[in-house]
Amino acid sequence: MIVYVCQITGDELLSDAYPLLPVVDDEGNTIEGLMMCESQQIAKGGGEIDIGCGNSFGGDEGGDAPDDNIEMVNNVVDSFQYTETQVGTAMDFKTWLKEYMQKIRAIKKEKGVPKPEIQAFMATAPGIAKYLLKNFNDLQFYLGPAFDPDSMVFSLYPEGATNPNFLYIMGGINANKF
C-alpha cells in the first residue's frame, strides 16, 4: 500500500486505494506536478449488512425501510479527515502558492534532494499556479488533520459532476510504501 504524506505536516493525504490521475486543462494539456483523485459519496454507518438474501435468514419483515443511522459522506474527505477552509482573494491564494513552493523547495534542499530534482519541481510551479489561479473561483480548499494552513488540498467539480476531484501538488507530498 502507498500512502501519500504531506512533507510539511506529516498528514496522510491520500492512499493508492484512490488512484491518482493526471490533471488536464481545458486545452487538453497535462498540468505537470499536479494530480487528481476522483471522489464519491458513500454510506457511512448503519448496523445491518444485506448479503443479497433479503430476509432469508430471518429479520425484519417490514421490507426495505431506509436505515436512519446511515450518513452519506465524501469518501476522500471522510477517510483522510479533511476540513473545508476558506482562502481570501485570488491574490491571497497566489501569495500562499508562492510561499508554499518556497517551503517545499527548502524542505527538499534540507533533505539533500539533488539540485536537478529541486529545479524540476520548481519548474512545475508556474503551470500549477496558472491552472489553480485560473480555476480559483471554482476551487474548494481543505486542511488535513493537523489544521495547518501551510498544507492544503484543493477540490474542483468537473463539468456535470456531483462529486469533486481532489487536486494534489505532488512535489509537496511523499509516497510512502507500507
Side-chain angles (χ1 to χ4, degrees):
M1 170 183 254
I2 297 173
V3 176
Y4 299 96
V5 178
C6 173
Q7 288 189 35
I8 295 172
T9 64
D11 285 347
E12 293 181 357
L13 298 178
L14 196 64
S15 79
D16 62 353
Y18 306 87
L20 284 171
L21 304 168
V23 175
V24 179
D25 66 14
D26 295 337
E27 289 86 41
N29 301 313
T30 299
I31 309 301
E32 296 298 323
L34 195 62
M35 297 293 281
M36 73 171 189
C37 165
E38 297 173 339
S39 70
Q40 57 185 298
Q41 291 295 108
I42 59 169
K44 180 179 178 181
E48 296 181 25
I49 298 173
D50 183 359
I51 59 171
C53 297
N55 292 329
S56 298
F57 297 107
D60 185 17
E61 299 296 324
D64 295 329
D67 188 341
D68 291 336
N69 296 323
I70 294 178
E71 174 187 8
M72 296 303 288
V73 297
N74 182 286
N75 61 340
V76 175
V77 171
D78 188 63
S79 294
F80 297 97
Q81 302 170 14
Y82 293 169
T83 302
E84 190 169 0
T85 190
Q86 300 296 316
V87 172
T89 65
M91 286 305 294
D92 295 334
F93 183 55
K94 184 177 180 179
T95 300
W96 178 88
L97 274 170
K98 185 176 181 179
E99 291 171 0
Y100 174 81
M101 295 295 186
Q102 292 301 325
K103 282 183 184 176
I104 296 301
R105 180 176 177 248
I107 289 169
K108 288 180 178 301
K109 190 174 182 179
E110 183 179 300
K111 289 183 176 180
V113 172
K115 191 173 182 176
E117 283 185 44
I118 295 171
Q119 290 171 333
F121 163 70
M122 293 305 290
T124 66
I128 292 170
K130 181 180 176 184
Y131 179 82
L132 293 174
L133 288 166
K134 179 181 178 190
N135 291 291
F136 176 78
N137 290 330
D138 296 323
L139 289 176
Q140 290 176 296
F141 303 91
Y142 292 86
L143 300 175
F147 296 107
D148 188 331
D150 286 338
S151 172
M152 272 197 288
V153 173
F154 322 102
S155 74
L156 184 64
Y157 284 81
E159 189 173 327
T162 56
N163 295 304
N165 289 340
F166 284 87
L167 306 173
Y168 302 89
I169 299 173
M170 296 308 291
I173 59 178
N174 291 327
N176 296 339
K177 200 172 220 176
F178 291 95

